[in-house]
Amino acid sequence: MTQTHADYRLSQLDQLEAESIHIIREVAAEFERPVLMFSGGKDSIVMLRLAEKAFYPAKIPFPILQVDTGLDFPEVMETRDRWVDRLGVQLVVASIDDAIAKGVVTEDGKTSRNRLQIGTLLNAIEENGFTAAFGGGRRDEEKARAKERVYSHRDEFGQWDPKNQRPELWSLYNGRLHEGEHMRIFPISNWTELDVWSYIAREGIEIPQIYFSHQRRVFERGGMLMTETPLNPCREGEVAEERTVRFRTCGDITLTGCVESTASTVEEIIEETAVSRVTERGATRGDDKFSEAAMEDRKKEGYF
Amino acid sequence: MAENITAGEQAVENVTTNMDLLRFATAGSVDDGKSTLIGRLLLDSKSIFEDQLEAVETTSKGKGYDYTDLALLTDGLRSEREQGITIDVAYRYFATPARKFIIADTPGHVQYTRNMVTGASTADLGLVLVDARQGLTEQSRRHAVILSLLRVPHLVLAVNKMDLVDFSEEVYDKIQAEFTQFATKLNIPDLEVIPISALQGDNVVNRSENMAWYSGPTLMHHLENVHVASDRDLVDTRFPVQYVVRPKSEEHHDYRGYAGQVAGGVLKPGDEVVVLPSGMTSRIAGIDLYDQEIEEAFPPMSVTVRLEDDVDVSRGDTIARVKNAPKPSQDIDAMICWMATTPLRPRQKLAIKHTTRNARALVKDIQYRLDINTLHRDQETKEIGVNEIARVQLRTTTPLLCDAYAQNRTTGSFILIDENTGVTVGAGMINTGN
């Protein structure tokens, strides 16, 4: 890192890092109660790393918030705990099971847990009085995301209004809020999937093991490879078998598909990502497949 | 020959150390083929994924089109797809082995100026599209004026739809001459005019066989090679303090660092510096980048600066060199782009954000409204409407540490915020500084 910069040029990854750290510090300075939304996936781990760097040698001056779907991969939870221990940061867990028990959200057997995250998250934001919530969303993930600002204003219902966004000029972010409103903040908006992996490689960042190639009992559903677990058993006609796979995103175990891969190091993953012809969401996210505007619709309701 | 390095190692090497970044803003009228061009750049640089392309093909077929509508790739919102228009600025990404690109895709026709200003504020390069059949329109001139006002250092005029004018050199020459003539009135340090066909791909990524008369670069070649490193100000040291880092831990009991992003110049340990607006002087004791002490910091690095003396420094202050510092001022003379539907009037009070400093501003005077079609200065109008540009005088509650926007796009810019709605209503560029 202490390389010399003969021509005062920063690599694009250094530029992205500098921009993200600037955004994180800006939020910490201007908002009363920020929180970092943490799913345990690679993007939120990169966010934690950036937050760690932004305030070093001080600790991260805000808590992290995880929505526990009850259907998370155990490997992801283990990684989360190690990060929390290492950084000494406060962890707030908003559990969907608790939210169901308290009647905050209703499980009707039809709504996926992914959708139940929305109400659970919004309730946690309100209960804790968080005014800004960092997310690891990137604009390259999805075309509705490409339209969202770094500071994404949410009304008192947590809704995003794509037609009424604040213009974002230079690096001057406007964090003004009315009572009950909050801001979603996306410091890694300008990163791509490949940038995230490159950063993980460069920084030697620990991520959940499920990102690396491993043996797993999987079955095909809707063109995706799903994990066989008691939470998500095979339906009629589906046959589980052992395959060599890895995950490209982390989410609900019942909805997140994996890909066949032998990539067992970050370098190999980068190589695979660089030549991949399918987006991570296209390959592995059941939740985005409901309709062409699935992500946009969920965001309008208050999703990440 | 180096040892065998794998493609993965090469990819890591490329993206972590070598590759640099170019941000560009696109502009063009509705039917100039902007979405098609962006689609083409993404497609030909292999940045479109199969699942995205399949979705677009399915939708195109479903709508009964007889070709794949690449514009569908970029129209991300339900209402945009319904209406077939682009509502707001979107940001898109692609990379070649040489560079990563961030496109600020600004829509052509609605809320036109404010979107252009938004997209251009962070751009290194502006890309203006014209339809070869139409030649320069009022709109293309407006685009150029805004890019010039925003001090976007590089401009590309892409003369599109050359296939529809039989790839005529004459047509290109005429448009090029006319635009070059017009550009002399503006501040455009670097201009490139490239004849293309976005639909067929001529001179976008691959050199056109249909325009042997053209000897300049293809659009992609130009985007990959345009020199942007020298566009930053490396002379005038400016470090707006964002956040004071005080660990209050056993291990770092006395640590007191000033975190921020370098806005100009180069900071080095040992430099004699002044903290503004207090005017206290000290020396840089060290510069930290996470757990490393570094030897110098320059734009756009985010670092933490420690000073030798225990001077009072807080968020909103600026660290500069003793003999080269911005002059604190409460009187601001600036060009502003007004973005709200309610007009801007004299005596109005607004919130202002400049670097890391928040204050309130009073509109003392509206000197003139700039007609961006004719560059005429209209001094009669005292009310500025949405998407209009004006020169104004502001008085702020606390001094701002300003430079001229022409000198530094970070310390020379500000936003105006409506205190009632909380909405960003104006973008400002300071005329004088220092």
Side-chain angles (χ1 to χ4, degrees), chain B residues 97-320:
Chain B
R99 255 184 187 158
K100 171 173 168 173
F101 299 93
I102 299 180
I103 313 176
D105 177 13
T106 70
H109 63 330
V110 264
Q111 296 154 357
Y112 160 80
T113 306
R114 66 172 241 182
N115 283 328
M116 269 286 296
V117 168
T118 301
S121 71
T122 52
D124 305 305
L125 180 145
L127 176 64
V128 176
L129 246 80
V130 296
D131 183 331
R133 296 170 302 175
Q134 315 284 330
L136 289 190
T137 58
E138 222 171 77
Q139 193 121 304
S140 1
R141 291 192 183 85
R142 275 204 297 259
H143 294 306
V145 169
I146 295 165
L147 290 167
S148 144
L149 199 68
L150 270 287
R151 300 268 166 179
V152 178
H154 308 276
L155 195 148
V156 174
L157 182 74
V159 183
N160 192 23
K161 306 197 184 181
M162 287 299 290
D163 52 316
L164 301 181
V165 294
D166 297 325
F167 300 102
S168 157
E169 186 178 5
E170 249 174 67
V171 170
Y172 166 80
D173 282 346
K174 185 172 162 288
I175 294 172
Q176 195 226 25
E178 201 185 336
F179 192 81
T180 310
Q181 174 63 29
F182 173 70
T184 56
K185 285 192 273 181
L186 304 172
N187 193 306
I188 296 170
D190 172 38
L191 170 67
E192 191 75 42
V193 187
I194 305 175
I196 64 166
S197 164
L199 194 66
Q200 301 189 5
D202 293 79
N203 286 340
V204 178
V205 172
N206 304 312
R207 179 157 282 284
S208 169
E209 287 171 16
N210 297 310
M211 290 179 273
W213 47 263
Y214 174 74
S215 59
T218 62
L219 178 59
M220 186 69 100
H221 184 270
H222 184 65
L223 293 175
E224 280 188 319
N225 291 285
V226 63
H227 185 68
V228 291
S230 58
D231 297 335
R232 294 157 305 147
D233 176 8
L234 291 170
V235 175
D236 308 294
T237 300
R238 301 288 185 265
F239 187 72
V241 175
Q242 242 193 315
Y243 192 91
V244 180
V245 178
R246 298 226 48 194
K248 294 179 185 156
S249 63
E250 287 297 319
E251 201 187 338
H252 303 280
H253 195 75
D254 297 319
Y255 190 96
R256 189 187 175 97
Y258 308 106
Q261 187 166 26
V262 184
V266 180
L267 291 99
K268 292 186 173 127
D271 282 353
E272 200 184 357
V273 291
V274 59
V275 179
L276 297 166
S278 74
M280 305 283 279
T281 59
S282 183
R283 277 179 195 279
I284 295 179
I287 304 170
D288 298 331
L289 187 66
Y290 184 47
D291 58 356
Q292 312 232 5
E293 278 202 51
I294 56 171
E295 277 159 34
E296 53 188 4
F298 52 89
M301 290 171 82
S302 280
V303 296
T304 304
V305 171
R306 283 174 286 116
L307 298 181
E308 281 182 3
D309 307 283
D310 215 359
V311 290
D312 177 20
V313 186
S314 48
R315 174 175 165 84
D317 291 355
T318 285
I319 294 173

